[in-house]
Amino acid sequence: MSTRNLNWALCVLAISLATGCAGSPSTSSSAQPGVTVTPAVANVRAGDPPLQFTATVSGVGNTELFWSVNGTAGGSAAVGLISTTGQYTAPSSVPASPASNVVSVQASLVSTPSVQGTSAVTLLNPIPVVSSASPQTIGVGTFIIQVNGSDFVSGAQVMFGTTALTTTFVSATQLNATGTASASQVGNVSVTVVNPAPGTNTSTTSATAQVTTGSVETVAAAVRFLEQSTFGPTPALVTQVEQTGFPEFLTSQFATSGSTYPDPASTITSLLPTQQVLFTNALSNPDQLRQRVALALSEIWVTSGFTVPPQGMAPYMRLLLQDAFVNYRTLMTDVSLSPAMGLYLNMVNNDNPTTTSEHANENYSRELMQLFTLGLNQLNQDGTMQLDGSGNPIPTYTQANVEAFALAYTGWTYPTLAGATLQKHNPANWIGAMVPFESNHNSAAKILLPVNGSAVTLPAGQTAENDLSGALDNIFAQPSLPPFVCAQLIQHLVTSNPSSAYVKRVANVFVSGTFSGGGVTIGSGKRGDMQAVIAAILLDTEARRGDSLSTTNSSDGHLREPVLYIANILRAFGATSDGAAPANSASSMSEAVMDSPSVFNFFPPNYNIPGTNLLGPEFDLETTATTLVRANFVNSFVYGSIGAGTTVSFTAYANLSANPNATGQLLDTLNALLLHNTMTADARASILAAVNAVPTGSSQNLLRAEAAIYLILSSSQYQVEQ
C-alpha cells in the first residue's frame, strides 16, 4: 500500500473511532439490564406467614426470572424456602449467631443468571405464646413450674413476674423452670416467656400462678405423699405440697406432660440407653405422677427387652406414659395393639388355624386375663375371692375361653412400613399400632365370658377390629377387673397390704369413674377413669394413715423396689445423672428396668414375706446378695461415686453439721426429708454418736454429714417406705 493510501486509511479509522466515542445511536442508547427486588430489606420471624417479594426487570426483553436464597435455587430448610413466584417462607428455627441470621433473597435472569437483584432478610426468633402453667398454685419457697404454649425456642426464659427463672427447654410447646417465690409475691403472679436473640421478644399472652403462704400440710405428710406419687421427694416439692396441699398437686400433675422416650437408632442393640432415659426423666422432669404410674403399669402390663429390641421398648414405654391418665379400657386397646406386646406375647402374626390340628397362639389371650385384667379367680368388689358352695375359689375363665379369645385376636401384624404394601406378615416395625390382615383373621363365632350371668358370643363374620373390640369390652365388663387392677395399683403406689375396705373404695371409684374428696371432684364419670382411680388411691384415708405419728400402722407401706430406692436417694440430694450409673445399679439389685426375666414381672403381687402373713412383693428381690449391693450403693454414693455420669454435693448438709443435734440442724433436716420425722430415739442416738465421733479437721463437717446420710439411707427404716 502506498504512503498516500495508508494515510487515507488511518484518517478513516480515526474518524470512525471518534464517532464511536461520541456514541452511535445503534449501540450506546440501550440501558444496561438490571433486576430490582422489593422489599430491599426485610425482617422475618420464624413461623410468620410467607412474605411476598416482587422483582422489576429493566434493559432486557426476556424478563423470565428464577428465585434463590443464599444462591440456592428455591432455598432450603436451613435458610428458608422461596417459590417460583417470589413467596418466601422462613426456616422453622433461626441461627443463634448474628452472622448467620441474615440471608439474601435473589431474583436472577434465567437468560443471564449473573444479572440479579437481592434483598437482605434478617431472620428473627418467633414471638412466644403462653397458654398455661402448672401448677397454678405455688407456695412461698422453691418451686418447679411447667409452662405450655407455642413458638418457644432453645434459650427461652420463663419470667415469674419480673424474675427470670432457671429454664430448661423441652420443646417448642413446653418449658420447665425452677425458682423461689418470696413472701412479697403472695397473690397472683404473671408467668411469661422471653425468646432470645435474634429478635428478643416477650410473649403476648401469659399465665397466672397464685403464690400462697402458710402450710396446708405438715412436712411429714408432704414427704409421705411425694414418696407415693413421685420418684422421690425433693426439698422444692416438699415445700410446694406443704403449702398447696395434695389435691392441688394431683390436679397440676394431671395437666403436666413432657417425659418421653426417643427412638433408638436401628444400630443400637443395648437396652441401656433407653433404661438411662427412665432415670433422667425421673430425676429431672416435672411430670412425676405420670412417670410413677407408667412405671407401675409397666410392671403390670409386662414386656421385656429380653425378647423385644430397644427399638420396640422405647415406643412401648412412651405408650404407657401417654396412657397413664386415660381410661383403662383405652389402655387395654393400645397395649393389645402395641408391636412390642405383640412380639412379646405372640399376638403379632397370630395366624388363623386352617386345619383342626392347628391352634391360634394362646399366650396373649391367657396373660391378658390372668395378669393384666382379671386374675385366676373371681373376686368380690373388695378384692377377696368369691367362693362356691363348697368354699372353693371360682375360676375366672376356662381353657375354652382362652382358646376363643385367642381366635378373636388372630390376623394382626406389624404396622405397614411407609411406602410398603400390607402383607399377611409385615416385617417388624415398632412405630404405630398393629394392623389387621383380614383374610388371616378367624371369622367364626366365639363364646366369651358371661356378663351378669348372661352368655356373650362374638357373631360370625366380624372383622379383626370388631372381634378385638368385642373381646376387650367383654373382659372390661367383668366384675373382677376393678378390684384386681386397683389392688395392684395400690400395692405399687402406697402399700403392699391394703385392707379389703381400701380396695373396695378404690374399686367403686373405678366403676363410677368419679372421685370426690379433699375438696375436689376428679374424673369423667366413665368406668375405668384412671385420674379418678389414682386420686382415690392417693387421697384415701388409709393412704394418708401415717401422715402423723399418731396414725402410723406397722403393716402399712412397702419396700422401695431398686428403681425407686435409687431414684429417691438421688432426687433427695439433687444429684445430676446421665442415667447410666442408676440403671446399672438397679440391674445389680436384680431389677434391670424394662428387662423383666418373665411376664410375671421382677416380683409377683402375691409374694408373701417369709415367716409372716404379710404380702411384700418387692421383698422377692431382697436376698443376702442384693442387701449387700444396696449397702454398697449407698456407700459409693456418699463416700465415692456410683459412676462418672452422676454427681452430687453434700455441701448444704455439711453446713448444718457444726452442731448436728441442734433443732433444725443436720439430723432434724435429714429426719424430715428422708424419714418424714419417724426416726426413733434409739436410731437418733446411734447416728448422733457416730456423727460426733468424726475427728476434728478441715473436713469434719462434711464427714459428719456423710456419716449421717449413709446411716439413714442404708437403714431398714429408710428402705421400707411406710
Side-chain angles (χ1 to χ4, degrees):
M1 179 181 293
S2 67
T3 302
R4 179 180 178 182
N5 289 341
L6 177 59
N7 289 336
W8 178 83
L10 289 174
C11 287
V12 172
L13 177 60
I15 293 170
S16 176
L17 288 174
T19 303
C21 290
S24 169
S26 63
T27 58
S28 61
S29 62
S30 300
Q32 293 296 317
V35 179
T36 303
V37 173
T38 304
V41 177
N43 292 332
V44 180
R45 292 187 180 275
D48 278 357
L51 176 63
Q52 182 66 56
F53 286 89
T54 59
T56 302
V57 180
S58 62
V60 67
N62 186 348
T63 60
E64 186 179 359
L65 298 169
F66 70 90
W67 291 87
S68 59
V69 183
N70 282 5
T72 301
S76 68
V79 297
L81 302 173
I82 194 158
S83 71
T84 56
T85 59
Q87 193 174 68
Y88 174 74
T89 303
S92 58
S93 60
V94 175
S97 170
S100 304
N101 73 315
V102 177
V103 300
S104 177
V105 169
Q106 301 140 343
S108 306
L109 287 175
V110 172
S111 60
T112 315
S114 61
V115 177
Q116 61 181 221
T118 64
S119 173
V121 177
T122 301
L123 301 176
L124 305 176
N125 278 321
I127 299 174
V129 176
V130 172
S131 58
S132 65
S134 179
Q136 295 178 332
T137 305
I138 293 170
V140 171
T142 55
F143 65 88
I144 302 171
I145 192 168
Q146 176 178 300
V147 180
N148 304 308
S150 60
D151 292 329
F152 304 151
V153 301
S154 180
Q157 191 157 49
V158 175
M159 301 296 295
F160 192 69
T162 59
T163 303
L165 304 184
T166 301
T167 305
T168 301
F169 175 80
V170 177
S171 69
T173 60
Q174 181 186 327
L175 301 172
N176 296 335
T178 59
T180 303
S182 65
S184 64
Q185 292 176 303
V186 170
N188 291 332
V189 177
S190 176
V191 179
T192 57
V193 170
V194 178
N195 272 347
T200 301
N201 219 307
T202 302
S203 56
T204 55
T205 58
S206 64
T208 299
Q210 183 181 35
V211 178
T212 62
T213 187
S215 295
V216 176
E217 303 291 347
T218 66
V219 171
V223 170
R224 279 194 78 247
F225 181 80
L226 290 168
E227 287 177 337
Q228 297 165 352
S229 59
T230 74
F231 272 83
T234 66
L237 273 183
V238 171
T239 299
Q240 178 183 321
V241 172
E242 178 192 2
Q243 296 186 340
T244 62
F246 305 149
E248 167 63 26
F249 180 79
L250 289 181
T251 55
S252 68
Q253 284 289 296
F254 289 143
T256 302
S257 60
S259 290
T260 188
Y261 288 83
D263 291 313
S266 59
T267 55
I268 299 295
T269 58
S270 169
L271 190 59
L272 179 60
T274 305
Q275 294 170 323
Q276 288 179 247
V277 173
L278 182 144
F279 280 100
T280 56
N281 284 345
L283 297 183
S284 304
N285 288 357
D287 59 331
Q288 287 289 304
L289 181 60
R290 181 182 295 275
Q291 292 185 64
R292 184 67 188 275
V293 173
L295 175 68
L297 293 174
S298 75
E299 295 178 349
I300 297 172
W301 294 82
V302 176
T303 60
S304 176
F306 186 78
T307 301
V308 182
Q311 293 75 18
M313 289 304 300
Y316 186 72
M317 296 302 291
R318 275 204 308 270
L319 183 155
L320 297 182
L321 283 171
Q322 164 196 306
D323 283 3
F325 298 154
V326 299
N327 193 286
Y328 202 78
R329 176 63 181 81
T330 301
L331 176 71
M332 290 171 64
T333 296
D334 290 347
V335 172
S336 295
L337 293 181
S338 161
M341 182 61 79
L343 174 64
Y344 188 60
L345 290 181
N346 308 115
M347 182 172 153
V348 71
N349 298 331
N350 184 18
D351 293 336
N352 175 33
T354 56
T355 68
T356 56
S357 62
E358 294 177 337
H359 299 277
N361 193 290
E362 299 171 4
N363 275 2
Y364 188 65
S365 64
R366 177 177 285 103
E367 307 306 357
L368 173 60
M369 292 186 287
Q370 178 182 340
L371 300 177
F372 307 158
T373 55
L374 304 177
L376 290 171
N377 299 303
Q378 295 182 26
L379 302 176
N380 297 306
Q381 188 79 339
D382 63 2
T384 58
M385 281 193 295
Q386 292 186 21
L387 304 176
D388 62 17
S390 301
N392 298 314
I394 303 172
T396 305
Y397 54 86
T398 66
Q399 175 58 25
N401 294 138
V402 172
E403 293 173 3
F405 279 103
L407 291 172
Y409 303 147
T410 55
W412 294 90
T413 186
Y414 289 107
T416 307
L417 291 167
T421 301
L422 173 65
Q423 305 174 48
K424 177 180 177 180
H425 290 174
N426 276 343
N429 178 16
W430 309 105
I431 307 301
M434 293 193 296
V435 295
F437 191 85
E438 295 295 349
S439 63
N440 195 30
H441 172 66
N442 182 280
S443 58
K446 305 164 186 74
I447 300 174
L448 304 183
L449 301 172
V451 175
N452 297 324
S454 299
V456 176
T457 300
L458 291 176
Q462 292 202 133
T463 64
E465 298 96 325
N466 292 150
D467 271 3
L468 175 66
S469 180
L472 296 181
D473 283 345
N474 178 252
I475 293 173
F476 186 63
Q478 296 300 308
S480 290
L481 187 144
F484 180 81
V485 170
C486 293
Q488 289 198 63
L489 288 173
I490 292 170
Q491 284 187 314
H492 281 283
L493 298 177
V494 177
T495 180
S496 297
N497 294 275
S499 68
S500 56
Y502 185 7
V503 173
K504 184 175 182 178
R505 288 191 293 270
V506 178
N508 286 342
V509 169
F510 187 105
V511 172
S512 71
T514 303
F515 169 79
S516 294
V520 297
T521 298
I522 296 173
S524 62
K526 296 181 179 179
R527 178 185 176 96
D529 186 288
M530 286 291 286
Q531 292 189 21
V533 169
I534 293 163
I537 291 172
L538 294 172
L539 298 179
D540 190 84
T541 54
E542 194 164 318
R544 306 280 41 92
R545 183 171 69 187
D547 283 354
S548 64
L549 286 173
S550 62
T551 60
T552 300
N553 187 299
S554 60
S555 65
D556 287 344
H558 60 102
L559 178 69
R560 298 179 207 256
E561 62 186 277
V563 62
L564 291 179
Y565 182 58
I566 293 166
N568 285 184
I569 289 173
L570 270 59
R571 281 176 57 82
F573 294 99
T576 60
S577 179
D578 62 3
N584 289 328
S585 297
S587 298
S588 298
M589 297 178 197
S590 296
E591 191 180 26
V593 290
M594 305 177 211
D595 202 16
S596 173
S598 76
V599 73
F600 297 98
N601 189 31
F602 298 99
F603 43 84
N606 60 351
Y607 180 78
N608 203 263
I609 302 173
T612 75
N613 60 356
L614 294 175
L615 296 177
E618 297 88 349
F619 276 96
D620 194 28
L621 297 180
E622 191 76 347
T623 65
T624 302
T626 57
T627 299
L628 292 175
V629 172
R630 286 183 179 232
N632 289 335
F633 168 81
V634 174
N635 184 75
S636 297
F637 176 73
V638 174
Y639 292 111
S641 172
I642 63 171
T646 301
T647 59
V648 66
S649 172
F650 300 118
T651 301
Y653 296 92
N655 294 337
L656 301 175
S657 300
N659 183 0
N661 199 36
T663 301
Q665 295 299 310
L666 179 64
L667 294 192
D668 287 337
T669 302
L670 293 174
N671 183 22
L673 178 62
L674 302 178
L675 299 175
H676 42 84
N677 288 330
T678 60
M679 185 185 293
T680 64
D682 287 345
R684 185 184 182 92
S686 297
I687 295 171
L688 184 60
V691 168
N692 287 331
V694 173
T696 58
S698 60
S699 300
Q700 183 185 41
N701 286 349
L702 177 60
L703 292 173
R704 279 178 163 180
E706 290 174 339
I709 293 168
Y710 170 79
L711 290 171
I712 293 173
L713 295 182
S714 60
S715 70
S716 58
Q717 189 175 1
Y718 178 77
Q719 294 189 55
V720 176
E721 175 191 307
Q722 194 169 35

